Amino acid sequence: MEEIIEHGDTIDRSLTDEIELDPANNWLRLGNAVIDYIPRFGIAYLIVTALVAYYISKVEYLEDIPAWVYSLVDTESLAGRFADIVLGYVTIIIYYTLFEYFSKGKSLGKYITQTRAVGLDGQKINFRQSLLRSLCRCIPFEPLSFFGEGPGGWHDRLTDTVVINERTSKLPG
């Protein structure tokens, strides 16, 4: 059993030889994004419905409902557009953070396309990586980062993760 020293840690070479990460191509990644849009939209709809129902149940007259609640359903106004953007970011953070953490790097789209987010060492992602991946998805123009160098977008590169094709990758035990 050969050992190597990297950054002061001893790594068992026999374990590293067994790992083979095949990054998912951009078409699979696009499929993930399209599929994941549907449950994200559903979550946003549930949040808006719950907030509106809560405030309607708490007031005696509809005129007493706070203006920001109206902006959740009024996409024509500037406040409505702003609320839509904020709700979109909140939904992205909730959906991806919880889904990827609790399902070991998978979202609904990744289940269907048989892909998974893992650390660069092939290990499952931790909560911090999952949260940071979600926050990075909120960076303006982040989807355009897939047209740059290397596999993946900023939410992969900034968090030291990679989305792999599970059918062709070999993960550690």
Side-chain angles (χ1 to χ4, degrees):
M1 183 178 329
E2 182 183 338
E3 293 184 351
I4 60 172
I5 305 295
E6 186 174 298
H7 303 294
D9 296 328
T10 303
I11 299 173
D12 184 350
R13 170 65 90 184
S14 65
L15 294 177
T16 59
D17 288 342
E18 295 177 14
I19 299 171
E20 188 175 318
L21 302 179
D22 180 27
N25 65 45
N26 284 348
W27 290 109
L28 284 173
R29 302 294 300 272
L30 179 62
N32 292 343
V34 170
I35 294 166
D36 286 333
Y37 181 79
I38 297 165
R40 283 183 22 229
F41 182 81
I43 291 169
Y45 180 80
L46 290 174
I47 290 171
V48 169
T49 302
L51 284 171
V52 170
Y54 173 78
Y55 277 99
I56 287 175
S57 72
K58 293 293 179 188
V59 298
E60 189 172 338
Y61 302 103
L62 290 179
E63 296 83 27
D64 296 335
I65 295 176
W68 69 268
V69 175
Y70 282 112
S71 69
L72 291 174
V73 294
D74 176 21
T75 56
E76 299 288 321
S77 69
L78 181 61
R81 288 187 214 135
F82 179 75
D84 192 38
I85 291 169
V86 170
L87 183 63
Y89 287 148
V90 168
T91 303
I92 285 171
I93 293 167
I94 291 170
Y95 175 76
Y96 284 110
T97 300
L98 297 179
F99 224 124
E100 285 187 343
Y101 177 69
F102 286 112
S103 63
K104 299 178 178 112
K106 288 185 161 267
S107 63
L108 183 62
K110 290 181 186 78
Y111 272 109
I112 292 171
T113 62
Q114 296 181 358
T115 57
R116 172 186 305 272
V118 297
L120 295 177
D121 59 356
Q123 298 294 322
K124 72 176 186 171
I125 61 174
N126 57 40
F127 184 80
R128 180 180 176 276
Q129 286 173 310
S130 179
L131 176 62
L132 289 175
R133 283 173 57 82
S134 300
L135 292 171
C136 288
R137 283 181 172 100
C138 298
I139 297 172
F141 306 109
E142 194 273 339
L144 298 178
S145 68
F146 281 86
F147 295 113
E149 297 273 329
W154 291 337
H155 69 270
D156 297 316
R157 289 181 282 220
L158 294 173
T159 59
D160 294 328
T161 58
V162 63
V163 175
I164 59 163
N165 186 332
E166 289 185 307
R167 292 170 285 205
T168 56
S169 293
K170 190 174 181 184
L171 295 173

